[in-house]
Amino acid sequence: MSALWEPTAAGVLRLPSGRLVRGRGLGHPLPDGPLPTFALYLLGKRPPEVEWEHRWVRWPDFRLPSDREEAARALREAWERAEAERVEVACHGGRGRTGTALACIAVLDGVPGDEAVAYVREHYSPSAVETPWQRRFVARFGRALDRR
């Protein structure tokens, strides 16, 4: 297995379980260091081709995923793979959609849904999760997990 992310590298979020996930904006240069082994790209249009395995969730800027069930499956896959792989989550700017996805991944990792946005803002970026509907999406994601 390849090494995981460096915990102090730019954009790396440490989840309560110790899993590391890197968030970033595709509109910025690729950070120095190792490449992802798996990436989840959250964009309104198909992402550029990359040399690592990736999954695309259609998610327009400042909005919510076009297919919420598909998004939930993709978020779960990213969380599961982060246990042993370098997982990257990215949108264009690296804040709104990426922050929303990271908050949902934090919920999967055990952070209560009503605390996940604050967790990601503290440990990833203060400007993560940009819109009220993105915050509601995270809260509902947490409630949906509670009902299972």
Side-chain angles (χ1 to χ4, degrees), residues 46-120:
R46 186 170 300 281
E49 284 302 314
V50 292
E51 59 189 77
W52 47 88
E53 188 179 352
H54 64 283
R55 184 168 177 176
W56 170 44
V57 171
R58 186 181 298 275
W59 192 329
D61 201 7
F62 295 106
R63 306 293 296 261
L64 297 175
S66 299
D67 181 334
R68 301 209 178 122
E69 291 298 317
E70 176 194 1
R73 287 189 298 273
L75 292 164
R76 181 168 292 281
E77 179 182 3
W79 174 73
E80 289 171 352
R81 293 179 76 155
E83 185 173 23
E85 298 178 53
R86 285 188 307 273
V87 172
E88 171 176 273
V89 175
C91 62
H92 182 75
R95 298 291 178 249
R97 293 167 284 181
T98 297
T100 302
L102 290 173
C104 290
I105 290 170
V107 168
L108 290 167
D109 203 65
V111 176
D114 60 348
E115 297 173 21
V117 171
Y119 182 88
V120 170

